[in-house]
Amino acid sequence: MALVAPSMLSADFLHLSQDVAMVNAHADIFHLDVMDGTFVPNISFGFPVIDAIASEAAKPLDVHLMIVEPWKYIERVGKTGASMVSFHLEATRDAGRTSETLALARSCGMKAGLVINPDVPVEDLFPFLEEVDFILIMSVFAGFGGQKFIPSSLERIATLRAEIVRRGLPVQIEVDGGVSPSNAAALRSAGADILVAGSSVFKAPDPVSAIAAIRG
Ligand code: DX5
Ligand code: ZN
């Protein structure tokens, strides 16, 4: 069993409250992708949309920041009422601000998550495992929904899981990108706790059974 976090990037923005109601009734977490057009070559949505979803959400909000200088926006994310926030290691490490940004997220009452793209060695996360509540492993390059799952992500998840177990840490593993009913079982057995799914939920003929299949 994994928790299922539908990515609202693939929702129907003209009928957002219907999709919010579906997640409230059938899924576990709202995954909200914030893109700035600089850290990634795409722009998604920002606080007006997150606040609107928050006003109807009965499940926890998980905000995935794909932005430069994420430390500038953590407190504002906290004001949305989000339970989880994550940002990319690639966006903080050159400035040496990874630890302080994780601590800031926790001080705002949120679970703090660190994200890496598929080209960042999973071992680069190890120095921070004591400072995070969860790790988000990208199984596609961040920036767009609807991309194809990268199979080597499975091995990366297993490596990370082994290190978390070896150190006896309570860190959860979330996976994002190309997740579907066809790879969910492999992801769960590799050690994923939370599965983000955008197109495989919202573009499915039956989103409710897609969620059930991904959950396992
Ligand atoms: C991509 C986002 C994902 C995206 C997932 O950069 O972080 O959350 O919405 O979409 P699918 O599940 O369609 O790959
Ligand atoms: Zn995401």
Side-chain angles (χ1 to χ4, degrees), residues 7 9 31-35 62-66 86 88 115 136 138 142 174 176-177 196:
S7 173
L9 190 62
H31 184 82
L32 304 168
D33 291 300
V34 177
M35 305 179 186
D62 164 33
V63 176
H64 173 192
L65 296 175
M66 285 161 272
S86 62
H88 281 252
V115 194
L136 175 47
M138 292 305 302
E174 179 174 30
D176 184 7
V196 176

Side-chain angles (χ1 to χ4, degrees), residues 121-139:
V122 84
E123 291 77 9
D124 289 10
L125 295 164
F126 290 2
F128 302 102
L129 289 181
E130 252 109 64
E131 301 165 46
V132 302
D133 297 293
F134 67 102
I135 294 290
L136 175 47
I137 295 286
M138 292 305 302
S139 40

Side-chain angles (χ1 to χ4, degrees), residues 3-56:
L3 297 172
V4 184
S7 173
M8 302 310 285
L9 190 62
S10 296
D12 178 351
F13 289 102
L14 264 184
H15 305 96
L16 202 45
S17 62
Q18 285 176 18
D19 285 346
V20 169
M22 191 279 293
V23 174
N24 278 338
H26 301 286
D28 304 299
I29 293 168
F30 287 90
H31 184 82
L32 304 168
D33 291 300
V34 177
M35 305 179 186
D36 66 356
T38 299
F39 181 75
V40 288
N42 194 12
I43 295 175
S44 56
F45 51 75
F47 293 113
V49 172
I50 298 175
D51 287 334
I53 292 173
S55 73
E56 287 195 11

